[in-house]
Amino acid sequence: MKVALITGITGQDGSYLAELLLEKGYIVHGVKRRASSFNTQRIDHIYQDLHEDHVNFKLHYGDLTDSTNIIRIIQEVQPDEIYNLGAMSHVKVSFDSPEYVANVDGIGTLRILEAVRILGLEKKTRIYQASTSELYGGLAENKNEKGLYDEHSPFYPRSPYGVAKIYGFWITKNYREAYGMFATNGILFNHESPRRGETFVTRKITMATAAIALGQQDCLYLGNLDAQRDWGHAKDYVEAMWRILQQDKPEDYVIAMGETTYVRDFVRMAFGELGIEIEFRGKGVDEKGYVKSCNNLEFQIEIGKQVIAVDPQYFRPTEVDLLIGDPTKSKRQLGWTPQYDLAGLVSEMVSSDVERVKREIMLQQNGFRA
């Protein structure tokens, strides 16, 4: 049986990847940070599904800022594959904590590579490094002839997060060339799901859509509505991660849908799932969204009600206005075919958050705190 080690296993991608690898017969080890409260809700069901037999799934306390800890875990696990998904991944927050994001996302990658080298596992252990579309910075002149970002597009990161990740990208490539390691980068464009963190814009939108429709929230405040992103489903993207490590030789791949959508249109799609049509008026910081119509009797929402507003506090100091990736290489060489489109993704996220809000309302009605 293959043994995999996943950093960031309690995150969106880590939880989906753990499920995928367990289904494929792997023994899965995960690294989670020690905290005073549990943060395992995304993977708790794995323990439940395994019942009393946990031999194929084990968690380790660890931190990408602690070299000796990383070395100890890798030595103990002796993994065939390492998926480094652990990161401080919120772009806006990275401006507030630039040193921390550099330590975790940049040097943290080096610590994993060095641990594998020091332990003499260069020929045994394959490494996947989670890179990001934020490497490109959204510059128009960096796109290929199709108007997309691919594996050859120049990088120009526009945030401390992107800068830290560019170090992770190049140090992975350097160790591949210097030590003959099977070390790869997956340059993943935005990927979402019902497990997405609540501070990320897509999940923030679907949560607010459900809460507004069910009378639990008045208005959703967002930043740059003109930003465009290439959104896919995290389930599809973790499948690509696995395929990258099954290749005959280590290479870097762009994983994307090849389509881009305005944040404004994601909002329209989310409300549209509930039969609510949103009309936007105004420009820039004065732009607002209003309920134009509602054809779903389950959601009695006032026509003309303002439900969207722009709050400048959510703007980044340096904005990335447009990201769109070229998945040609990943589809050709990996045989990767996404199973979800954007409409299916939005539908799943909204449905999940509607059920979540309904549960919270029921708990409150029964005298319990959600």
Side-chain angles (χ1 to χ4, degrees):
M1 298 175 71
K2 283 187 177 180
V3 178
L5 177 65
I6 304 172
T7 68
I9 196 169
T10 58
Q12 168 190 254
D13 293 3
S15 64
Y16 281 124
L17 180 60
E19 291 173 353
L20 176 70
L21 296 180
L22 287 167
E23 288 173 2
K24 292 182 179 297
Y26 280 65
I27 296 173
V28 176
H29 293 258
V31 180
K32 71 179 294 290
R33 286 176 298 168
R34 180 69 172 145
S36 58
S37 59
F38 289 108
N39 181 31
T40 59
Q41 57 266 40
R42 293 187 181 97
I43 56 174
D44 286 341
H45 66 283
I46 294 177
Y47 280 114
Q48 295 167 5
D49 291 344
L50 291 173
H51 304 292
E52 298 303 318
D53 182 13
H54 295 165
V55 295
N56 290 347
F57 185 70
K58 183 177 180 180
L59 292 182
H60 304 260
Y61 287 118
D63 197 304
L64 290 173
T65 64
D66 186 341
S67 298
T68 56
N69 174 260
I70 295 299
I71 293 172
R72 176 186 59 77
I73 292 172
I74 293 176
Q75 184 176 38
E76 177 184 336
V77 172
Q78 293 286 305
D80 298 294
E81 299 172 2
I82 294 176
Y83 296 86
N84 183 29
L85 311 185
M88 201 303 290
S89 57
H90 199 288
V91 178
K92 176 66 169 66
V93 175
S94 76
F95 285 97
D96 301 321
S97 304
E99 182 179 342
Y100 177 74
V101 75
N103 194 5
V104 174
D105 297 15
I107 306 301
T109 305
L110 172 62
R111 293 184 179 106
I112 289 176
L113 293 162
E114 264 294 273
V116 170
R117 188 188 67 81
I118 289 169
L119 294 169
L121 298 175
E122 300 100 318
K123 302 305 179 185
K124 171 183 171 62
T125 303
R126 297 186 170 198
I127 302 170
Y128 170 86
Q129 165 62 14
S131 285
T132 169
S133 58
E134 290 289 332
L135 298 179
Y136 297 116
L139 297 185
E141 59 268 29
N142 288 357
K143 297 175 188 173
N144 62 19
E145 66 279 1
K146 293 185 287 187
L148 310 173
Y149 295 108
D150 64 17
E151 291 81 5
H152 304 291
S153 299
F155 297 146
Y156 196 97
R158 304 268 289 165
S159 66
Y161 168 72
V163 172
K165 280 292 190 177
I166 205 170
Y167 179 89
F169 176 93
W170 282 113
I171 200 65
T172 298
K173 197 174 180 99
N174 178 254
Y175 269 60
R176 178 168 78 215
E177 296 172 353
Y179 302 111
M181 294 171 112
F182 197 109
T184 66
N185 288 285
I187 307 174
L188 272 59
F189 280 67
N190 297 68
H191 47 287
E192 319 297 322
S193 75
R195 299 181 191 175
R196 191 48 143 157
E198 297 180 0
T199 60
F200 289 83
V201 67
T202 52
R203 185 74 197 290
K204 184 176 176 181
I205 290 169
T206 60
M207 287 174 58
T209 297
I212 290 170
L214 290 165
Q216 302 301 298
Q217 183 174 330
D218 289 326
C219 188
L220 167 62
Y221 293 91
L222 295 169
N224 183 12
L225 294 174
D226 288 318
Q228 299 175 67
R229 292 294 182 267
D230 186 337
W231 280 300
H233 199 298
K235 280 186 179 180
D236 286 327
Y237 284 47
V238 300
E239 169 76 22
M241 296 177 191
W242 174 77
R243 287 175 179 265
I244 288 172
L245 288 195
Q246 310 316 306
Q247 301 306 298
D248 292 333
K249 61 178 182 178
E251 296 184 31
D252 305 321
Y253 296 86
V254 165
I255 308 300
M257 299 297 288
E259 300 176 358
T260 194
T261 304
Y262 286 98
V263 171
R264 182 185 298 103
D265 290 333
F266 194 102
V267 173
R268 287 194 179 104
M269 292 175 70
F271 278 92
E273 282 296 314
L274 303 183
I276 302 168
E277 183 180 2
I278 300 297
E279 178 184 41
F280 286 91
R281 305 174 201 158
K283 293 183 179 181
V285 295
D286 297 320
E287 186 172 5
K288 295 178 174 60
Y290 301 86
V291 176
K292 184 177 181 180
S293 65
C294 178
N295 59 22
N296 191 327
L297 295 178
E298 184 180 358
F299 306 108
Q300 293 302 307
I301 187 167
E302 179 185 351
I303 306 303
K305 176 181 173 65
Q306 179 195 323
V307 292
I308 308 293
V310 173
D311 189 335
Q313 74 167 318
Y314 296 121
F315 289 176
R316 303 179 189 177
T318 46
E319 284 286 346
V320 175
D321 291 322
L322 186 150
L323 289 173
I324 179 169
D326 185 349
T328 300
K329 179 182 177 181
S330 59
K331 289 184 175 181
R332 182 183 68 248
Q333 291 188 204
L334 303 178
W336 177 69
T337 304
Q339 302 302 305
Y340 285 81
D341 60 10
L342 181 58
L345 169 65
V346 174
S347 178
E348 183 181 344
M349 292 180 70
V350 172
S351 176
S352 175
D353 277 324
V354 166
E355 292 306 311
R356 178 189 57 82
V357 173
K358 286 180 177 178
R359 287 194 301 271
E360 291 176 356
I361 292 173
M362 186 176 298
L363 286 171
Q364 292 169 2
Q365 290 174 343
N366 290 323
F368 297 99
R369 294 182 64 184

